[in-house]
Amino acid sequence: MNAPAYNFAYLNEQTKRMIRRAILKAIAVPGYQVPFASREMPMPYGWGTGGVQVTAAVLTPEDTLKVIDQGADDTTNAVSIRKFFVKTAGVATTERTEEASVIQTRHRIPEARLTEDQILVFQVPIPEPLRFLEPRETETRTMHALEEYGVMHVKLYEDIAQYGEIATTYAYPAKVADRYVFDPSPIPKFDNPKLDDCPALQLFGAGREKRIYAVPPYTKVKSLDFEDHPFEVQSWDEPCALCGSRDSFLDEIVMDDQGTRMFVCSDTDFCAGKRGDR
Amino acid sequence: MYVAVKGGEQAIDAAHRLLDEERRGDRSVPSITLDQIAEQLTLAVDRVMNEGSLYDRELASLAIKQARGDLIEAIFLIRATRTTLARFGYAEPLDTQSMRVKRRVSAAFKDIPGGQILGPTFDYTHRLLDFSLAGDVEPAEAARAPSALRSDMPRVLELLGNEGLMEQPSAEAGEPGDLTQDPLNFPAGRDLRLQNLARGDEGFLLALAYSTQRGYGRTHPFAGEIRLGTVEVSFTPEELGFPVVIGEITVTECEMINQFKGSATVKPQFTRGYGLGFGQCERKVMSMALVDRSLRAGELGEERVAPAQDEEFVLSHSDNVQATGFVEHLKLPHYVDFQSELVLLRRMRAEIDGAKDRLEAAE
Amino acid sequence: MTERGFSDVAVQSAHAFRAIMQAMARPGRVLELGADIEAPEPLLASTAAIALTLCDFQTPIWLAPELRNDKVTHYLRFHAGAPIMAEPDKAQFLFAEAGPTLPAPDVLMQGTHEYPDRSATLIIQVEGFMPGAVALSGPGIRGSEPFGVTGLSASFWAAMANNHADFPVGIDVIFAAPGRVAALPRSTEIRMLEPA
């Protein structure tokens, strides 16, 4: 028994063509979830197989790849995916946001503003924003077709009635180019404003759910809200304990058994850059 | 002073080396060979081939060894391998009528043309631990039939069909779909439902099938025929234009007979549920046949009220590679989202406390 | 003897796709599409690169009369394995030149409101680009982008404006010029500019 040799970026060419066709339709209909024949990848479903397939289909040998999970390059799953592409595509990698041409991410958008020369690939667990309100695909598909998003507004309004505010803090739904309500993946709502009018192409891959969708550059992405309850992002009372930033998303670190806490940037590259430490 | 933890890569490498060591176990015990797995853990190999959707005993044995006997992990390894294999086309449909039968039973008739053939089965064994297997005592040789079995065992369901009591298999127009090549959309035809069930988790299908027997979408089943044996696989190369036999595989087939009261247009007759799988997998194909029949509720004008009759529910949750991935992904870091929830929860609690304080101050 | 396709399929189709994808993501922007590929007359190398990057046995294609000859059909069957359709409304990818045989967008596969992705992509082989005919705006465009294509008349732009009006159903267009590519997805709003 001999170990097989793999194609550039793992996927065979026919699979790449199938994914590439889906990506083009996703770009042409911003925010609409294109079904695609997702393949079994050598990492588990739910661990980034959609993002990995999209990245594999867009990658060229000249690309410089950055992979983050929770904003950090050194988290276990980010390390694992980065290693996969080093092995199967031989691409250069970086931790610096500005050096990357393709960035695959789980749960965050980098703090640094992205450029036209970059592509951001999101890993998506549940692509359907209406799924938790209506579990049936046949129903949610009709709702998108009819642009019937009343249930979503009702849900958000019930939050306000019950809690005094919208109690969705991540995977916060937004409307793309005034047409499709979409799920921006479980990024904190703190990152939603970065989706809007972004110079970079943003691609979303959901492997287990077999959907690809896109937000083209400079596209309007409006987080759902109400006139009397406008959308707002999280904020912290204190700055990052390491770099002093007041405008980044902060992780809470428990320091000792007494529960002493400190707050530090979730975007590790951004934090290191602020400290001049990279 | 807090310093961000680095070293994920080294930690992963070290964890994988430890996994390799644990897989090997006590080095004074001989390493298990793929032949031993293929020959002696046959039914585990069959299950991995079935749910892995790849008929290759050697690769399945390797996957079982690599997965330390965790069959869902082994199935996952086979599926990931399958992604990388070149595709030449689709084989001709299997002709299970001409199966070289090893086992064949019907619960619907006392005797059937061709005979009831028990074959290698756990049925009727007393489930008492056989301590002789703890040593390496060789079993006695099995008795062989004095003459060869019929090579064209008639199908039990066709015996009923001749009388008009059995529905004819629904002949849906066109080529069957392939959910590994095109995304599954709803509603799905019976072709895609059966493909999904054939790849589906045995435990999930078993539980669903069981639920139909307990009244959640009752179908009044009889095991019309279960047969196990080998069938030829043929393929028609584009340049030849005629089928050539490329090999032989072992399969298990189950045809269930289910009650049907009839409708305005159809006289009362029996209906079918169908199951087919690689290797010997009776529990799997019986479960598959029951669930297949339940999923036909809409087509047969039955009210869809039970989970096993709900196509979207069954097909979306039957795949154990998808299910295990998503359940286990909760092990991945989620601290950014958790932080978002913490911020919200603290603020909501503070607001309630603030309101209470204001109320008390006003009193 | 059939012309060879890409000299290195994995790498060159990756490069070609990047150009096509960026063109689709930035409507009206003209991008370089160079590929080491042989193409049968009258296909441009860029058209051939687009075809072999996107088409295979799963994608029925249609060829306009001026592009349809034995060499081209054999080339596409051999390298892509794509079925070649007689009727344009059965094709997922259509190849045509700017001119009278260009099929009207509204006779091609439009997709449905449930599945707008099940729609045609029209690849138009052109001589070049000359901004000034129209101004484009919408997703992928910062403000507005002047655009124009050699050999395409006002009626084409009017038809594409109607195509946009039906969003989210409709077709998407890729323009292949010598060594260059641009695109016009259905999401793009088209404003006719006064002739100078």
Side-chain angles (χ1 to χ4, degrees):
Chain A
M1 276 180 136
N2 291 320
Y6 296 114
N7 194 26
F8 172 74
Y10 188 77
L11 300 175
N12 64 41
E13 289 305 304
Q14 188 259 327
T15 300
K16 283 189 212 163
R17 278 191 295 271
M18 177 273 295
I19 296 171
R20 286 167 177 166
R21 292 192 291 263
I23 291 172
L24 291 186
K25 290 298 172 194
I27 292 170
V29 189
Y32 164 73
Q33 304 160 48
V34 180
F36 82 112
S38 174
R39 302 289 196 248
E40 267 99 2
M41 298 302 286
M43 54 280 287
Y45 280 122
W47 298 51
T49 56
V52 166
Q53 288 179 81
V54 168
T55 297
V58 305
L59 215 55
T60 68
E62 295 76 23
D63 275 311
T64 301
L65 179 69
K66 173 181 166 82
V67 184
I68 49 172
D69 187 342
Q70 314 294 300
D73 299 84
D74 206 39
T75 33
T76 42
N77 204 44
V79 170
S80 163
I81 291 172
R82 187 162 56 238
K83 277 176 83 169
F84 174 75
F85 281 112
V86 167
K87 192 161 154 188
T88 60
V91 291
T93 62
T94 184
E95 296 194 358
R96 296 192 180 194
T97 300
E98 72 275 12
E99 283 177 0
S101 55
V102 177
I103 303 171
Q104 180 167 329
T105 181
R106 178 168 170 265
H107 294 194
R108 277 310 312 275
I109 297 177
E111 305 291 0
R113 184 163 165 83
L114 301 178
T115 69
E116 286 199 354
D117 299 323
Q118 296 177 312
I119 297 165
L120 185 58
V121 178
F122 293 77
Q123 300 172 202
V124 182
I126 304 277
E128 178 50 70
L130 306 168
R131 184 59 68 232
F132 298 110
L133 306 172
E134 168 52 65
R136 272 166 213 287
E137 166 69 12
T138 39
E139 294 292 326
T140 53
R141 188 161 286 280
T142 306
M143 289 156 86
H144 283 293
L146 299 174
E147 208 175 346
E148 178 48 67
Y149 296 125
V151 287
M152 180 63 91
H153 285 100
V154 169
K155 190 258 167 197
L156 296 177
Y157 209 84
E158 281 174 355
D159 272 10
I160 294 170
Q162 195 175 349
Y163 309 114
E165 61 183 297
I166 294 172
T168 300
T169 59
Y170 58 91
Y172 191 102
K175 201 169 211 182
V176 181
D178 298 319
R179 176 57 179 81
Y180 284 97
V181 166
F182 96 130
D183 181 317
S185 85
I187 55 172
K189 65 178 182 174
F190 180 90
D191 285 340
N192 271 32
K194 298 175 190 164
L195 297 159
D196 179 50
D197 198 36
C198 176
L201 169 62
Q202 302 176 86
L203 300 173
F204 299 77
R208 193 178 39 75
E209 299 280 337
K210 302 177 168 51
R211 298 288 185 273
I212 287 173
Y213 50 105
V215 175
Y218 306 115
T219 296
K220 182 176 164 190
V221 179
K222 170 96 171 67
S223 302
L224 301 187
D225 63 358
F226 300 93
E227 257 176 41
D228 51 346
H229 281 91
F231 173 80
E232 54 182 38
V233 301
Q234 291 101 338
S235 59
W236 286 259
D237 295 333
E238 46 195 304
C240 169
L242 298 179
C243 75
S245 169
R246 287 193 170 275
D247 50 11
S248 61
F249 187 92
L250 302 182
D251 294 334
E252 181 171 331
I253 313 286
V254 181
M255 302 292 288
D256 55 29
D257 295 358
Q258 283 69 51
T260 312
R261 285 167 170 73
M262 70 183 286
F263 292 86
V264 299
C265 289
S266 116
D267 183 336
T268 49
D269 174 62
F270 172 83
C271 192
K274 277 248 170 182
R275 299 195 308 270
D277 176 25
R278 52 176 213 186
Chain B
M1 178 61 199
Y2 168 76
V3 181
V5 186
K6 286 261 174 188
E9 191 153 355
Q10 292 92 310
I12 289 173
D13 286 344
H16 292 171
R17 282 201 304 278
L18 184 58
L19 169 69
D20 292 340
E21 193 176 296
E22 298 265 317
R23 175 190 297 116
R24 178 60 185 88
D26 182 346
R27 285 170 203 256
S28 68
V29 176
S31 178
I32 193 169
T33 67
L34 300 193
D35 286 352
Q36 287 170 343
I37 294 170
E39 289 300 316
Q40 296 172 41
L41 299 180
T42 351
L43 301 189
V45 171
D46 288 345
R47 179 170 177 195
V48 170
M49 295 197 304
N50 254 319
E51 292 167 39
S53 253
L54 185 70
Y55 197 98
D56 188 322
R57 304 200 76 84
E58 198 181 13
L59 287 183
S61 302
L62 174 62
I64 290 169
K65 180 174 181 177
Q66 185 176 334
R68 306 172 69 188
D70 177 341
L71 296 190
I72 292 184
E73 179 70 20
I75 289 160
F76 176 21
L77 287 166
I78 290 298
R79 291 271 192 95
T81 301
R82 196 179 183 280
T83 297
T84 66
L85 301 177
R87 254 167 197 278
F88 300 103
Y90 291 94
E92 299 295 327
L94 298 180
D95 177 12
T96 50
Q97 167 102 45
S98 60
M99 175 188 284
R100 286 205 289 133
V101 165
K102 209 174 192 181
R103 165 169 165 78
R104 183 245 201 172
V105 292
S106 171
F109 293 98
K110 182 174 184 192
D111 204 358
I112 40 177
Q116 304 262 19
I117 299 150
L118 285 186
T121 177
F122 290 123
D123 298 351
Y124 320 113
T125 62
H126 293 145
R127 270 57 169 204
L128 303 169
L129 279 176
D130 178 356
F131 289 95
S132 73
L133 289 174
D136 47 7
V137 179
E138 291 294 335
E141 206 156 300
R144 297 279 182 267
S147 57
L149 296 169
R150 283 176 65 169
S151 61
D152 60 336
M153 289 280 185
R155 292 174 181 283
V156 172
L157 271 67
E158 267 168 30
L159 302 175
L160 289 166
N162 297 339
E163 223 182 307
L165 295 175
M166 190 78 223
E167 66 165 342
Q168 288 307 303
S170 53
E172 283 176 35
E175 284 286 300
D178 180 351
L179 57 81
T180 69
Q181 294 297 296
D182 295 301
L184 183 62
N185 296 312
F186 298 109
R190 195 173 174 207
D191 52 342
L192 292 170
R193 295 202 303 254
L194 285 168
Q195 185 187 17
N196 176 287
L197 298 179
R199 290 159 57 90
D201 182 76
E202 180 172 316
F204 178 75
L205 296 187
L206 176 65
L208 279 176
Y210 178 45
S211 73
T212 68
Q213 290 181 288
R214 289 195 66 261
Y216 287 85
R218 200 165 168 215
T219 61
H220 307 272
F222 297 90
E225 183 173 358
I226 296 163
R227 49 168 76 186
L228 158 73
T230 51
V231 290
E232 287 179 343
V233 181
S234 300
F235 178 72
T236 304
E238 201 62 50
E239 58 272 30
L240 290 184
F242 57 85
V244 289
V245 176
I246 53 170
E248 197 179 63
I249 62 174
T250 299
V251 295
T252 308
E253 184 183 53
C254 172
E255 291 199 275
M256 233 18 122
I257 302 172
N258 305 78
Q259 215 179 67
F260 179 53
K261 293 192 200 70
S263 67
T265 52
V266 182
K267 279 197 278 188
Q269 62 176 179
F270 291 117
T271 54
R272 298 162 181 265
Y274 186 74
L276 181 74
F278 290 150
Q280 183 167 9
C281 53
E282 281 167 45
R283 184 188 302 121
K284 168 74 182 262
V285 293
M286 290 177 75
S287 303
M288 180 178 169
L290 289 173
V291 177
D292 169 48
R293 175 60 184 78
S294 289
L295 290 174
R296 295 180 61 204
E299 168 200 343
L300 296 169
E302 296 162 345
E303 202 185 347
R304 276 191 276 203
V305 287
Q309 297 169 318
D310 185 331
E311 171 183 285
E312 278 204 41
F313 178 80
V314 174
L315 303 192
S316 302
H317 301 111
S318 62
D319 192 300
N320 55 26
V321 178
Q322 290 174 11
T324 199
F326 202 48
V327 167
E328 294 197 54
H329 108 286
L330 292 172
K331 291 182 279 191
L332 292 178
H334 281 78
Y335 57 77
V336 164
D337 293 344
F338 189 68
Q339 179 62 214
S340 303
E341 296 285 274
L342 276 177
V343 170
L344 175 71
L345 201 60
R346 284 190 184 124
R347 197 173 63 223
M348 290 198 311
R349 289 172 65 93
E351 274 163 16
I352 291 169
D353 289 346
K356 213 185 283 170
D357 290 349
R358 281 194 298 279
L359 197 64
E360 278 165 12
E363 273 169 3
Chain C
M1 173 81 192
T2 303
E3 291 78 3
R4 72 157 170 76
F6 287 121
S7 56
D8 178 345
V9 177
V11 171
Q12 297 203 10
S13 64
H15 285 147
F17 179 67
R18 178 64 67 84
I20 298 164
M21 178 179 76
Q22 291 291 16
M24 194 64 84
R26 299 163 201 282
R29 193 178 294 192
V30 179
L31 299 169
E32 270 186 42
L33 174 58
D36 184 13
I37 190 169
E38 289 177 3
E41 292 279 337
L43 283 195
L44 294 172
S46 55
T47 312
I50 293 167
L52 299 197
T53 298
L54 298 178
C55 303
D56 54 34
F57 65 92
Q58 292 184 315
T59 58
I61 64 177
W62 178 86
L63 293 164
E66 68 275 13
L67 297 180
R68 198 181 309 158
N69 62 44
D70 288 350
K71 290 202 111 180
V72 172
T73 53
H74 183 74
Y75 177 88
L76 292 174
R77 282 203 180 105
F78 181 79
H79 290 298
I84 296 172
M85 316 305 283
E87 300 298 325
D89 61 348
K90 302 277 191 297
Q92 203 173 334
F93 288 90
L94 299 99
F95 294 84
E97 285 191 325
T101 61
L102 194 60
D106 60 359
V107 306
L108 308 182
M109 283 201 301
Q110 304 288 303
T112 63
H113 283 270
E114 282 75 22
Y115 292 98
D117 55 301
R118 295 179 181 174
S119 59
T121 303
L122 172 62
I123 293 100
I124 308 178
Q125 186 163 290
V126 301
E127 282 172 26
F129 302 97
M130 42 166 206
V134 288
L136 308 180
S137 58
I141 301 163
R142 190 179 199 181
S144 127
E145 180 95 19
F147 188 59
V149 179
T150 314
L152 286 176
S153 61
S155 64
F156 170 80
W157 299 113
M160 286 306 293
N162 285 336
N163 182 61
H164 168 69
D166 289 339
F167 185 90
V169 297
I171 68 155
D172 309 302
V173 175
I174 300 172
F175 303 99
R180 288 180 302 163
V181 64
L184 185 61
R186 71 195 84 169
S187 58
T188 303
E189 197 174 312
I190 298 166
R191 189 165 56 86
M192 307 283 269
L193 296 177
E194 296 298 321

